[in-house]
Amino acid sequence: MPVRVVDTATPSSQPSPGQETNSVHPSPPSCSLLSAGRCFAGTQNVSSLQKDEAWKVNVRIHGCDLEQGYLCGTMEALNVPLADTPVVTFWEGEIVDAKNYTFFTGKWEASPEDDIRHWSKFPSFTPLLSQVETDGGKSLDLSNYPHIFMRWKEQYFVNVGVDCGLTIAGFYYVCFSCSDGSISGFYYDPSSSPFQKLELKCTNEKNSGFTFSSYELQ
């Protein structure tokens, strides 16, 4: 949620070329650190040519369904200069599994070239690059891969109005480590500073959440 530069309408979340409906690939590895209620803390670098700046960020996963390639949660940005209170947004995520979603976004003003440029920022993506350039990764088996790739799209502000000075027009390219729960990401929005980096660590705290497979409130 970088500083707003221009007003941009939130894109539609209708199915797109980045979403796959076939089921020929297994789901990503089940990972206890990527589950409903899990919390993460870290920073987002929002530096621009004018100044260096980083915000403290807390993320909580509220729902996760690996079979459908879906998760959702909230993001809380602290010490935001233009806000009198921490800014909380609700986001929904797409898990790149070659079954429900590929590495090609196909929406949100992101071209395949934009996708490759951002995914390539993650060292763990390097072994997958050639195949993704060929078909978006449709033929990859990611079920045992030690990292899970996702896109997080903020949907709305939870506790502030749209005039808070921030924008949620873009989305995050995200890489999650199954070994330690660390998260790295890069924000993409043509109207914002490029490659704003998100870095989060799992806090080992698990609060309230729900799992779609059981529809159980915890």
Side-chain angles (χ1 to χ4, degrees):
M1 57 178 90
V3 174
R4 181 188 300 275
V5 177
V6 296
D7 290 331
T8 305
T10 303
S12 168
S13 59
Q14 295 297 315
S16 68
Q19 180 173 4
E20 296 296 320
T21 58
N22 63 74
S23 56
V24 297
H25 295 278
S27 299
S30 177
C31 180
S32 61
L33 295 175
L34 186 66
S35 57
R38 191 67 68 178
C39 297
F40 305 83
T43 60
Q44 178 173 339
N45 187 309
V46 292
S47 298
S48 64
L49 294 177
Q50 289 74 33
K51 61 179 178 179
D52 291 330
E53 187 176 349
W55 299 338
K56 293 181 179 179
V57 175
N58 296 319
V59 166
R60 178 179 298 172
I61 297 176
H62 291 280
C64 183
D65 185 349
L66 293 178
E67 282 300 317
Q68 298 299 318
Y70 175 85
L71 75 166
C72 62
T74 51
M75 179 180 294
E76 177 187 40
L78 309 175
N79 63 290
V80 178
L82 300 179
D84 297 327
T85 181
V87 176
V88 180
T89 55
F90 173 79
W91 56 267
E92 292 183 302
E94 301 174 348
I95 299 173
V96 176
D97 54 9
K99 179 179 68 171
N100 297 286
Y101 299 97
T102 72
F103 285 95
F104 287 160
T105 304
K107 52 187 171 183
W108 303 328
E109 299 185 67
S111 68
E113 292 76 21
D114 294 321
D115 292 329
I116 294 295
R117 191 178 305 115
H118 284 76
W119 292 126
S120 295
K121 290 286 185 179
F122 306 115
S124 54
F125 175 76
T126 302
L128 311 176
L129 175 59
S130 60
Q131 193 58 48
V132 172
E133 288 179 325
T134 300
D135 63 2
K138 291 180 181 179
S139 57
L140 290 171
D141 180 0
L142 301 172
S143 58
N144 294 310
Y145 205 68
H147 293 82
I148 297 176
F149 299 94
M150 299 175 276
R151 286 177 286 265
W152 292 359
K153 178 71 178 77
E154 292 168 297
Q155 300 295 329
Y156 56 83
F157 293 102
V158 174
N159 66 329
V160 297
V162 295
D163 57 350
C164 65
L166 302 182
T167 175
I168 55 174
F171 68 97
Y172 294 88
Y173 293 87
V174 175
C175 179
F176 176 87
S177 170
C178 295
S179 62
D180 61 9
S182 61
I183 293 173
S184 57
F186 291 94
Y187 191 76
Y188 173 74
D189 176 5
S191 300
S192 299
S193 299
F195 304 115
Q196 297 182 27
K197 189 172 185 179
L198 180 71
E199 295 181 286
L200 303 170
K201 299 291 186 182
C202 182
T203 64
N204 293 321
E205 173 188 3
K206 191 171 184 181
N207 292 325
S208 59
F210 60 92
T211 302
F212 284 90
S213 59
S214 63
Y215 296 93
E216 179 182 355
L217 294 175
Q218 300 176 354

